Short mmCIF file of all heavy atoms in Angstrom, two decimals:
data_model
loop_
_atom_site.label_atom_id
_atom_site.label_comp_id
_atom_site.label_asym_id
_atom_site.label_seq_id
_atom_site.Cartn_x
_atom_site.Cartn_y
_atom_site.Cartn_z
N THR A 40 84.32 91.88 98.67
CA THR A 40 83.81 91.05 97.58
C THR A 40 82.29 91.12 97.54
O THR A 40 81.62 90.22 97.05
CB THR A 40 84.27 89.58 97.72
OG1 THR A 40 83.89 89.10 99.01
CG2 THR A 40 85.78 89.46 97.53
N THR A 41 81.75 92.22 98.02
CA THR A 41 80.30 92.45 98.04
C THR A 41 79.90 93.20 96.78
O THR A 41 80.49 94.24 96.45
CB THR A 41 79.91 93.28 99.29
OG1 THR A 41 80.36 92.59 100.45
CG2 THR A 41 78.40 93.48 99.35
N ASP A 42 78.90 92.70 96.07
CA ASP A 42 78.39 93.37 94.87
C ASP A 42 77.86 94.75 95.24
O ASP A 42 77.45 94.99 96.38
CB ASP A 42 77.26 92.57 94.22
CG ASP A 42 77.71 91.20 93.74
OD1 ASP A 42 78.92 90.95 93.66
OD2 ASP A 42 76.83 90.37 93.44
N SER A 43 77.85 95.67 94.27
CA SER A 43 77.35 97.02 94.53
C SER A 43 76.49 97.48 93.36
O SER A 43 76.85 97.28 92.20
CB SER A 43 78.51 97.99 94.73
OG SER A 43 78.02 99.30 94.91
N TYR A 44 75.37 98.10 93.68
CA TYR A 44 74.48 98.63 92.65
C TYR A 44 74.79 100.09 92.34
O TYR A 44 74.16 100.70 91.48
CB TYR A 44 73.02 98.48 93.08
CG TYR A 44 72.59 97.04 93.14
CD1 TYR A 44 72.47 96.38 94.35
CD2 TYR A 44 72.34 96.33 91.97
CE1 TYR A 44 72.09 95.05 94.41
CE2 TYR A 44 71.97 95.00 92.02
CZ TYR A 44 71.84 94.37 93.24
OH TYR A 44 71.47 93.05 93.27
N ILE A 45 75.76 100.64 93.05
CA ILE A 45 76.17 102.04 92.82
C ILE A 45 77.69 102.09 92.69
O ILE A 45 78.39 101.17 93.14
CB ILE A 45 75.70 102.95 93.98
CG1 ILE A 45 76.31 102.49 95.31
CG2 ILE A 45 74.17 103.01 94.06
CD1 ILE A 45 76.08 103.44 96.46
N PRO A 46 78.24 103.13 92.10
CA PRO A 46 79.70 103.25 92.00
C PRO A 46 80.36 103.28 93.38
O PRO A 46 79.80 103.83 94.33
CB PRO A 46 79.89 104.58 91.28
CG PRO A 46 78.62 104.82 90.55
CD PRO A 46 77.55 104.22 91.41
N VAL A 47 81.52 102.65 93.48
CA VAL A 47 82.30 102.65 94.72
C VAL A 47 83.70 103.17 94.43
O VAL A 47 84.19 103.06 93.30
CB VAL A 47 82.37 101.24 95.35
CG1 VAL A 47 80.99 100.75 95.76
CG2 VAL A 47 83.03 100.24 94.40
N ASN A 48 84.33 103.73 95.43
CA ASN A 48 85.71 104.21 95.28
C ASN A 48 86.67 103.03 95.33
O ASN A 48 86.51 102.11 96.14
CB ASN A 48 86.07 105.19 96.40
CG ASN A 48 85.33 106.50 96.26
OD1 ASN A 48 85.10 106.97 95.15
ND2 ASN A 48 84.98 107.10 97.38
N VAL A 49 87.68 103.05 94.47
CA VAL A 49 88.74 102.06 94.50
C VAL A 49 89.70 102.45 95.61
O VAL A 49 90.16 103.60 95.66
CB VAL A 49 89.47 101.97 93.14
CG1 VAL A 49 90.65 101.01 93.23
CG2 VAL A 49 88.50 101.54 92.05
N THR A 50 89.99 101.52 96.49
CA THR A 50 90.83 101.79 97.65
C THR A 50 92.19 102.34 97.25
O THR A 50 92.89 101.74 96.43
CB THR A 50 91.02 100.48 98.47
OG1 THR A 50 89.75 99.99 98.84
CG2 THR A 50 91.88 100.72 99.69
N GLY A 51 92.53 103.51 97.81
CA GLY A 51 93.85 104.09 97.60
C GLY A 51 94.06 104.77 96.26
O GLY A 51 95.16 105.24 95.98
N LEU A 52 93.03 104.86 95.41
CA LEU A 52 93.20 105.48 94.10
C LEU A 52 92.21 106.63 93.91
O LEU A 52 91.52 106.72 92.90
CB LEU A 52 93.02 104.44 92.98
CG LEU A 52 94.02 103.30 92.95
CD1 LEU A 52 93.77 102.40 91.75
CD2 LEU A 52 95.45 103.80 92.93
#
Side-chain angles (χ1 to χ4, degrees):
T40 54
T41 303
D42 298 346
S43 177
Y44 293 103
I45 60 171
V47 296
N48 290 325
V49 175
T50 302
L52 297 183

